[in-house]
């Protein structure tokens, strides 16, 4: 093991990354708050354009960890004409399988390469909006926060989608139609639910929840011309598992992603037919993922038309962004600590150390929250939730 590899596995290195992310994140949150209070009421368009760059500056620090720090890769299959004409140039609803700890990050890696990372949004649980840094950033960026009460959520979706797709640049909105991350326990409940209702049993996905999707369609039409169906897979026999811990230790992971552009006009207007359309889409997605795991190809047994593979190059802006924030954040912390130590200001020193400990705790909790073993229980009883 080289000295650089050993350095990447040190807790001190991970701590410096955490200091950079949380310090810069709180600064970005503060700037977002000021713009929200002073700029948004008088110039919403400029507010949203600036919000793109603030969000990019925060999110791309995690892209740096994936691209530059761990040297991870995502291979993308997408129709060449669709990519040339549309990718990064239109509003999109993303429908993606939710099976891995870093599936969201693999998605961000793709969106960063086509220039829309700063305007990536998602349907998310309302409780996330109260979390410092990432939750606050999402709140100011007008994510679609749901309360898990369909009557309330229908109103939220109708209102918020109009806001989301009013941004001056293309916006990509992620809908995890499965409702929660795939686990064996949830899959067993999903299989039972499908069998009881005579539905097609899915091997690699949970039965999708259709209400959020169908409730969104009316607001999507005229604003969002396409759905991007994203099918993500990591090899089961890969040396390095696709986890946050793997990336922080500087070990690369390799993802494989099939992206299909589906015009929104292909989705029926009728609610029941639209729900059936989504169910059928997940049957297709299941065949695609099954083909990958059984043959190594998304196309051999799925019946899907084969497209060319592309690996996007790393972009320097994510490296430069992280480097600037790292130098600033670590220097700021070190200056504060040394000043307090020299001046023997024990109260200030104690506060600084307490903040650093809090940063470390936040980092550990964030890693634990991403683990599949720590996934929420939501969805484990499919019958009740349906």
């Amino acid at each position: 093991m080289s000295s650089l590899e050993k350095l990447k596995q040190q807790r001190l290195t991970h701590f410096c990354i955490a200091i950079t992310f949380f310090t810069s994140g709180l600064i970005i949150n503060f700037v977002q708050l000021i713009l929200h209070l002073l700029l948004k009421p008088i110039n919403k368009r400029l507010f949203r354009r600036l919000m793109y760059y603030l969000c990019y500056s925060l999110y791309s620090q995690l892209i740096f960890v994936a691209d530059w720090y761990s040297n991870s890769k995502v291979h993308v299959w997408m129709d060449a004409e669709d990519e040339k004409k549309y990718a990064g140039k239109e509003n999109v609803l993303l429908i993606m399988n939710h099976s891995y700890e870093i599936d969201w990050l693999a998605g961000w890696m793709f969106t960063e390469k086509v220039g829309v990372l700063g305007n990536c949004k998602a349907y998310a649980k309302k409780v996330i909006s109260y979390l410092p840094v990432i939750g606050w950033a999402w709140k100011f960026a007008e994510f679609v926060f749901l309360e898990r009460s369909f009557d309330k959520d229908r109103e939220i979706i109708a209102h918020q989608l109009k806001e989301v797709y009013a941004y001056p640049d293309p916006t990509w909105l992620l809908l995890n139609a499965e409702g929660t991350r795939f686990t064996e326990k949830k899959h067993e409940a999903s299989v039972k639910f499908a069998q009881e209702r005579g539905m097609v049993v899915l091997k690699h996905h949970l039965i999708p929840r259709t209400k959020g999707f169908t409730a969104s369609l009316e607001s999507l039409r005229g604003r969002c011309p396409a759905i991007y169906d994203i099918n993500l897979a990591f090899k089961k026999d890969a040396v390095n598992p696709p986890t946050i811990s793997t990336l922080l230790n500087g070990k690369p992971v390799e993802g494989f992603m099939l992206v299909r552009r589906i015009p929104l006009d292909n989705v029926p207007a009728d609610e029941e037919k639209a729900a059936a359309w989504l169910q059928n889409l997940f049957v297709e997605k299941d065949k695609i993922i099954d083909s990958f795991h059984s043959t190594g190809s998304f196309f051999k047994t799925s019946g899907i038309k084969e497209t060319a593979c592309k690996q996007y190059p790393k972009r320097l802006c994510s490296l430069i962004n992280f480097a600037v924030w790292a130098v600033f954040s670590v220097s700021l912390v070190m200056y504060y600590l040394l000043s307090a130590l020299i001046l023997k200001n024990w109260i200030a020193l104690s506060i600084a150390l307490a903040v650093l400990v809090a940063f470390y705790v936040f980092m550990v909790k964030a890693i634990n929250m991403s683990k599949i073993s720590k996934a929420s229980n939501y969805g484990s009883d499919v019958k009740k939730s349906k």
Side-chain angles (χ1 to χ4, degrees):
M1 184 183 294
S2 68
S3 56
L4 180 59
E5 290 174 330
K6 290 180 180 178
L7 180 64
K8 288 181 179 180
Q9 296 183 25
Q10 297 298 314
R11 287 186 179 273
L12 180 60
T13 304
H14 302 167
F15 194 31
C16 288
I17 293 174
I19 289 173
T20 301
F21 182 76
F22 288 114
T23 302
S24 64
L26 291 174
I27 293 172
I28 288 171
N29 287 162
F30 179 72
V31 175
Q32 288 178 309
L33 174 62
I34 297 302
L35 293 177
H36 177 80
L37 295 175
L38 301 181
L39 180 60
K40 187 177 180 181
I42 60 175
N43 193 332
K44 187 178 288 188
R45 184 178 180 85
L46 178 58
F47 165 80
R48 288 171 168 168
R49 192 172 291 279
L50 294 176
M51 202 59 55
Y52 171 93
Y53 293 104
L54 290 171
C55 289
Y56 178 85
S57 186
L58 181 62
Y59 305 164
S60 68
Q61 293 180 52
L62 301 175
I63 300 299
F64 160 81
V65 173
D67 274 353
W68 296 95
Y69 182 79
S70 69
N71 199 33
S72 296
K73 298 177 176 62
V74 175
H75 306 277
V76 179
W77 283 261
M78 185 176 186
D79 182 88
E81 287 301 310
D82 283 348
E83 181 194 22
K84 182 178 179 181
K85 291 181 181 178
Y86 306 112
K89 303 178 180 67
E90 63 180 346
N91 291 331
V92 170
L93 176 71
L94 303 174
I95 297 181
M96 183 177 182
N97 53 315
H98 196 18
S99 308
Y100 305 98
E101 293 182 14
I102 60 168
D103 45 24
W104 55 273
L105 182 53
W108 277 9
M109 291 172 73
F110 172 54
T111 61
E112 198 264 345
K113 304 305 183 294
V114 297
V116 297
L117 177 61
N119 265 3
C120 280
K121 306 182 191 301
Y123 295 77
K125 292 180 289 188
K126 186 176 181 179
V127 66
I128 295 176
S129 66
Y130 301 115
L131 296 177
V133 182
I134 197 72
W136 293 349
W138 288 3
K139 181 67 174 178
F140 289 122
E142 301 174 285
F143 274 52
V144 184
F145 287 107
L146 304 178
E147 299 188 14
R148 302 302 194 192
S149 168
F150 184 66
D151 291 334
K152 293 181 180 178
D153 289 343
R154 182 188 288 274
E155 295 179 8
I156 292 170
I157 289 170
H159 173 266
Q160 203 59 32
L161 289 189
K162 295 176 184 178
E163 299 296 317
V164 164
Y165 288 117
Y167 271 64
D169 300 304
T171 297
W172 287 20
L173 176 65
L174 173 64
L175 170 64
N176 282 318
E178 294 167 273
T180 185
R181 184 184 285 127
F182 184 100
T183 66
E184 289 302 324
K185 182 178 180 181
K186 294 172 187 176
H187 183 239
E188 289 175 6
S190 179
V191 168
K192 182 179 179 181
F193 178 87
Q195 290 173 337
E196 289 175 349
R197 285 157 178 77
M199 302 169 68
V200 177
V201 173
L202 305 179
K203 293 174 60 177
H204 307 282
H205 300 80
L206 306 178
I207 295 296
R209 299 164 183 274
T210 59
K211 285 186 176 181
F213 175 72
T214 57
S216 302
L217 288 176
E218 184 178 350
S219 299
L220 288 172
R221 298 191 191 278
R223 298 182 176 90
C224 173
I227 293 171
Y228 283 14
D229 169 41
I230 299 183
N231 304 273
L232 175 68
F234 292 89
K235 291 182 178 179
K236 293 183 177 180
D237 59 353
V239 175
N240 300 321
T243 66
I244 291 291
S245 297
T246 297
L247 301 182
L248 282 177
N249 284 320
K251 298 177 181 179
V253 298
E254 189 173 23
F256 303 85
M257 181 183 291
L258 170 63
V259 182
R260 298 187 297 164
R261 183 184 184 275
I262 305 171
L264 192 67
D265 290 341
N266 289 7
V267 182
D270 179 78
E271 186 172 337
E272 288 188 8
K273 291 181 180 179
W277 181 91
L278 183 65
Q279 298 285 0
N280 290 332
L281 176 67
F282 269 78
V283 172
E284 280 190 0
K285 290 170 70 65
D286 211 55
K287 291 177 180 178
I288 290 169
I289 297 298
D290 193 63
S291 177
F292 177 85
H293 287 308
S294 60
T295 70
S297 165
F298 287 120
F299 310 100
K300 283 188 179 180
T301 62
S302 66
I304 302 300
K305 178 184 175 182
E306 186 165 358
T307 55
C309 177
K310 179 174 183 178
Q311 185 181 317
Y312 292 88
K314 303 173 185 176
R315 300 176 72 216
L316 275 174
C317 44
S318 62
L319 173 62
I320 294 171
N321 177 74
F322 182 83
V324 171
W325 276 120
V327 171
F328 173 80
S329 301
V330 175
S331 298
L332 180 66
V333 170
M334 292 303 298
Y335 174 79
Y336 188 88
L337 288 174
L338 290 174
S339 298
L341 190 61
I342 292 171
L343 296 175
K344 296 183 179 181
N345 188 338
W346 306 121
I347 295 178
L349 184 61
S350 299
I351 293 174
L353 292 175
V355 170
L356 292 178
V357 170
F359 282 174
Y360 183 77
V361 170
F362 276 135
M363 180 184 73
V364 172
K365 284 189 174 293
I367 293 172
N368 285 336
M369 285 174 63
S370 73
K371 291 181 179 179
I372 290 178
S373 61
K374 301 293 184 181
S376 72
N377 291 324
Y378 181 76
S380 57
D381 190 340
V382 180
K383 187 172 182 178
K384 288 184 180 180
S385 61
K386 283 283 181 175

